[in-house]
């Protein structure tokens, strides 16, 4: 009989044992197990505590700590390491040196800097002698996830509002941190809960309503371990944080009453409730100075599609293609011109507008939003980078529809606030049409994305061929965008008609 292999990936949970089971490595392991990830435990300290009281905390000896690390390093090397409460500076220095010895590829590492337990006592003496251990940890891990009090302790700066919070997070970046995720649940200056992810390139604000929250211990442990879990499943850091926040919120909504006003977490899996996901605002980290400058106006919304059941959505690079495909009865088409002089592009767009003006085909112009407004196009399609530069208010006031490309959970949550006319989800399969910012999403992720779009029509794009249309449509998308399935076909008109029939039958 063959012994089953340990499931991959593996996440090490380095932290304290909470005798109540509400937090610490118990919470880490429960979280990771619910996400079908194998979790290993390295104990840094033992605590005697309940929901409301910490009676005692005692660190493990350096010999015991190192032995745990070595036995796991030999048999179960980590894909990620989640670090929680550390008893003292010696453990911090040991962890940092041990991480440097780990074989390639280097694991993703998150540090949740627990100093004071939510049950009301000092759990750790980390940094009590010098700040050296903390600085070394900041330079070693990939993301540090403090709450507001922990951020103040790490940065040694007072935090009284959102501006000082961002400044304190920036201080950790200047000390060597790669990314800082500040948990904003303790912020007294705002009605909503706002978590902030700060890197050297950007600031991301994750906003959730604070309604219907319950007293649930261990949410910080849960957030950091879930973040590790989603990273090792192949998600980018910003998507992993988006999912981890949704995981914690969904767990809160399913929590069970324990003692008094306190609740305990039930076993939860991959987050699926759209209401649990945060709203996102992304700003460039160029000149922060504590200033919050959201790049999306909440008042902006765009006209809905005249025909939201889009069906086949060809994306072409010339007006000649539009002229050839219009007789097939397509309901939507996109003109994506990447080369040519301004006059040539202008002429192409003007001709495309005239061709489709009295038809049932909804014409979207890729990127060239100013020309689309001037020439009276039906709609504009923008990429994520275009949101930063396009005049969204001018597009809306001109009465143009708007479609936006997305490549994951964070980008979907970001653009939903705009109420665009449709959301493009991609790329689903490998594609050769352009260099993509992410790996192929696949059908399962597509199926997860569609409910998040809510009432906004969803369009799948990327590497879709005739044989792939049926499973793509089964995810619930309203449109199926294709490029080379038509433009590189030996008989493009025949291919277009065949694709239309396949979409309708699916």
């Amino acid at each position: 009989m063959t012994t089953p292999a340990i499931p991959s990936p593996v996440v090490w949970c380095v932290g304290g044992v909470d005798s109540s089971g509400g937090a610490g490595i118990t919470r880490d392991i429960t979280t990771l197990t619910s996400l079908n990830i194998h979790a290993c435990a390295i104990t840094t300290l033992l605590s005697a505590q309940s929901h409301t009281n910490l009676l005692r905390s005692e660190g493990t000896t350096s010999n015991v700590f190192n032995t745990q690390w070595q036995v796991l390093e030999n048999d179960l090397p980590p894909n990620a390491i989640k670090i929680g409460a550390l008893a003292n500076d010696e453990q911090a220095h040991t962890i940092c040196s041990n991480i440097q010895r780990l074989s390639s590829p280097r694991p993703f590492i998150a540090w949740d800097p627990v100093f004071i337990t939510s049950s009301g006592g000092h759990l750790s003496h980390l940094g009590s002698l010098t700040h050296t251990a903390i600085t070394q940890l900041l330079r070693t891990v990939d993301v540090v996830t403090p709450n507001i009090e922990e951020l103040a302790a790490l940065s040694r700066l007072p935090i009284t509002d959102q501006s000082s919070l961002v400044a304190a997070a920036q201080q950790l970046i200047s000390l060597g941190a790669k990314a800082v995720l500040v948990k904003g649940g303790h912020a007294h200056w705002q009605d909503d809960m706002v978590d902030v992810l700060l890197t050297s390139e950007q600031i991301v604000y994750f906003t959730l309503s604070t309604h219907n929250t319950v007293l649930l211990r261990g949410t910080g442990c849960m957030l950091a371990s879930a973040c590790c879990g989603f990273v090792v499943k192949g998600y980018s850091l910003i998507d992993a944080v988006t999912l981890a926040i949704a995981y914690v919120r969904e767990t809160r909504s399913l929590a069970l009453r324990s003692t008094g006003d306190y609740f305990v977490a039930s076993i939860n899996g991959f987050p699926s409730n759209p209401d649990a996901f945060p709203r996102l605002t992304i700003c460039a980290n160029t000149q922060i100075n504590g200033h919050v400058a959201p790049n999306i106006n909440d008042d902006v919304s765009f006209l809905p599609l005249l025909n939201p059941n889009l069906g086949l959505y060809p994306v072409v690079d010339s007006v000649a293609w539009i002229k050839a495909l219009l007789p097939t009865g397509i309901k939507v088409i996109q003109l994506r011109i990447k080369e040519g002089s301004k006059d040539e592009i202008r002429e192409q767009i003007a001709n495309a507008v005239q061709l489709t003006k009295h038809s049932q085909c909804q014409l979207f112009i890729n990127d060239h939003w100013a020309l689309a407004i001037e020439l009276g196009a039906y709609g504009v399609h923008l990429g994520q980078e275009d949101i930063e530069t396009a005049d969204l208010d001018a597009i809306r006031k001109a009465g143009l529809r708007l479609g936006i490309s997305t490549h994951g959970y964070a980008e979907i949550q970001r653009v939903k606030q705009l109420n665009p006319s449709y959301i493009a989800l991609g790329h689903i399969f490998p594609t050769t049409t352009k260099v993509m910012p992410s790996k192929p999403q696949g059908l399962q992720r597509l199926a997860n994305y569609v409910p998040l779009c809510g009432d906004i029509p969803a369009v799948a794009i990327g590497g879709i061929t005739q044989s792939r249309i049926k499973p793509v449509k089964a995810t619930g998308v309203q449109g199926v965008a294709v490029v080379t399935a038509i433009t590189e076909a030996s008989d493009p008109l025949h291919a277009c008609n065949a694709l239309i029939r396949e979409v309708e039958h699916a």
Side-chain angles (χ1 to χ4, degrees):
M1 180 178 177
T2 304
T3 303
I6 289 293
S8 181
V10 172
V11 176
W12 290 1
C13 305
V14 181
V17 173
D18 175 354
S19 56
S20 74
I25 56 177
T26 305
R27 177 56 53 216
D28 297 334
I29 293 171
T30 303
T31 299
L32 291 163
T33 301
S34 74
L35 297 174
N36 295 317
I37 292 169
H38 184 76
C40 301
I42 296 179
T43 305
T44 59
L45 57 87
L46 301 174
S47 68
Q49 61 180 307
S50 65
H51 290 323
T52 57
N53 193 20
L54 173 67
L55 298 180
R56 185 176 180 182
S57 173
E58 186 171 324
T60 56
T61 66
S62 58
N63 182 49
V64 169
F65 179 81
N66 271 319
T67 303
Q68 292 177 91
W69 186 287
Q70 289 164 11
V71 71
L72 288 180
E73 186 176 349
N74 292 333
D75 292 344
L76 290 163
N79 299 102
I81 301 174
K82 185 269 179 176
I83 303 171
L86 300 176
N88 48 53
D89 289 4
E90 182 184 6
Q91 287 184 352
H93 290 307
T94 300
I95 283 177
C96 291
S97 61
N98 284 353
I99 287 171
Q100 300 304 320
R101 293 189 296 101
L102 288 175
S103 58
S104 184
R106 183 184 183 277
F108 174 83
I109 303 167
W111 174 35
D112 183 27
V114 181
F115 299 119
I116 299 175
T117 175
S118 57
S119 63
H122 287 271
L123 195 65
S124 168
H125 298 287
L126 178 66
S128 59
L129 300 177
T130 68
H131 214 61
T132 306
I134 288 174
T135 303
Q136 188 179 11
L137 275 167
L138 290 173
R139 293 174 178 173
T140 300
V141 304
D142 294 290
V143 61
V144 57
T145 64
N147 60 28
I148 292 172
E149 290 80 7
E150 292 158 352
L151 176 62
L154 292 172
S155 66
R156 299 184 176 181
L157 293 174
I159 300 174
T160 57
D161 54 23
Q162 193 75 355
S163 295
S164 57
L165 181 151
V166 172
Q170 182 66 52
Q171 173 68 8
L172 299 193
I173 295 291
S174 69
L175 290 173
K178 300 178 184 69
V180 182
L181 173 60
V182 186
K183 297 168 289 191
H186 295 176
H188 58 80
W189 57 82
Q190 54 199 10
D191 294 331
D192 291 335
M193 186 181 77
V194 181
D195 295 338
V196 181
L197 175 65
L198 189 141
T199 69
S200 58
E201 292 80 29
Q202 64 182 14
I203 315 176
V204 185
Y205 299 92
F206 303 83
T207 304
L208 276 172
S209 168
T210 55
H211 298 311
N212 299 321
T213 58
V214 297
L215 288 174
L216 181 66
R217 295 182 56 239
T219 54
C221 305
M222 194 185 305
L223 182 71
S225 54
C227 186
C228 285
F230 292 121
V231 166
V232 300
K233 282 180 172 287
Y235 292 96
S236 66
L237 177 59
I238 189 172
D239 268 8
V241 171
T242 303
L243 283 164
I245 291 171
Y247 179 96
V248 174
R249 173 52 64 101
E250 202 163 280
T251 301
R252 276 189 182 277
S253 69
L254 299 172
L256 306 172
R257 185 174 292 278
S258 176
T259 304
D261 292 330
Y262 283 87
F263 285 69
V264 294
S266 58
I267 301 299
N268 193 27
F270 199 95
S272 58
N273 182 357
D275 294 336
F277 283 78
R279 305 188 302 276
L280 263 75
T281 302
I282 301 177
C283 306
N285 185 4
T286 52
Q287 192 174 4
I288 301 172
N289 295 327
H291 179 60
V292 178
N295 62 334
I296 288 181
N297 182 349
D298 289 337
D299 295 331
V300 172
S301 61
F302 293 84
L303 290 173
L305 299 171
L306 290 175
N307 190 347
N309 186 19
L310 293 170
L312 186 72
Y313 186 167
V315 179
V316 297
D317 61 3
S318 74
V319 71
W321 280 111
I322 297 176
K323 188 174 182 179
L325 298 179
L326 273 179
T328 65
I330 52 174
K331 303 169 187 175
V332 62
I333 197 164
Q334 182 183 138
L335 181 61
R336 183 165 70 188
I337 306 173
K338 295 299 182 182
E339 297 179 356
S341 67
K342 186 173 181 179
D343 287 342
E344 290 170 337
I345 294 171
R346 179 190 178 87
E347 183 180 2
Q348 289 269 330
I349 294 174
N351 290 338
V353 170
Q354 289 305 310
L355 274 172
T356 57
K357 193 171 185 178
H358 301 294
S359 74
Q360 298 300 311
C361 183
Q362 302 165 101
L363 171 68
F364 282 84
I365 304 301
N366 184 280
D367 289 352
H368 302 288
W369 58 269
L371 284 173
I373 292 173
E374 178 188 342
L375 298 171
Y378 175 83
V380 174
H381 182 92
L382 299 177
Q384 287 288 312
E385 65 282 357
D386 302 314
I387 298 175
E388 307 291 342
T389 56
D391 190 337
L392 301 179
D393 197 44
I395 296 170
R396 179 186 61 82
K397 287 180 178 178
L400 273 66
R401 275 72 176 175
L402 177 68
I404 304 181
S405 294
T406 62
H407 310 88
Y409 286 96
E411 292 181 359
I412 293 170
Q413 292 305 115
R414 179 192 191 192
V415 305
K416 276 170 59 179
Q417 299 170 78
L418 289 170
N419 287 314
S421 308
Y422 71 82
I423 297 175
L425 307 170
H427 61 301
I428 308 306
F429 303 103
T431 178
T432 59
T433 56
K434 63 177 180 177
V435 177
M436 302 304 294
S438 57
K439 294 179 181 179
Q441 304 293 313
L443 289 169
Q444 183 55 62
R445 289 195 187 184
L446 176 62
N448 292 342
Y449 295 155
V450 172
L452 293 182
C453 296
D455 295 331
I456 303 171
V459 175
I461 187 170
I464 300 175
T465 59
Q466 185 173 343
S467 63
R468 290 169 168 166
I469 285 176
K470 186 175 181 179
V472 166
K473 278 289 290 180
T475 64
V477 295
Q478 286 75 35
V480 179
V482 296
V483 185
T484 58
I486 292 176
T487 60
E488 294 185 4
S490 57
D491 186 340
L493 200 58
H494 175 78
C496 185
N497 281 313
L499 290 164
I500 290 172
R501 289 193 299 270
E502 190 69 30
V503 171
E504 290 175 349
H505 293 158

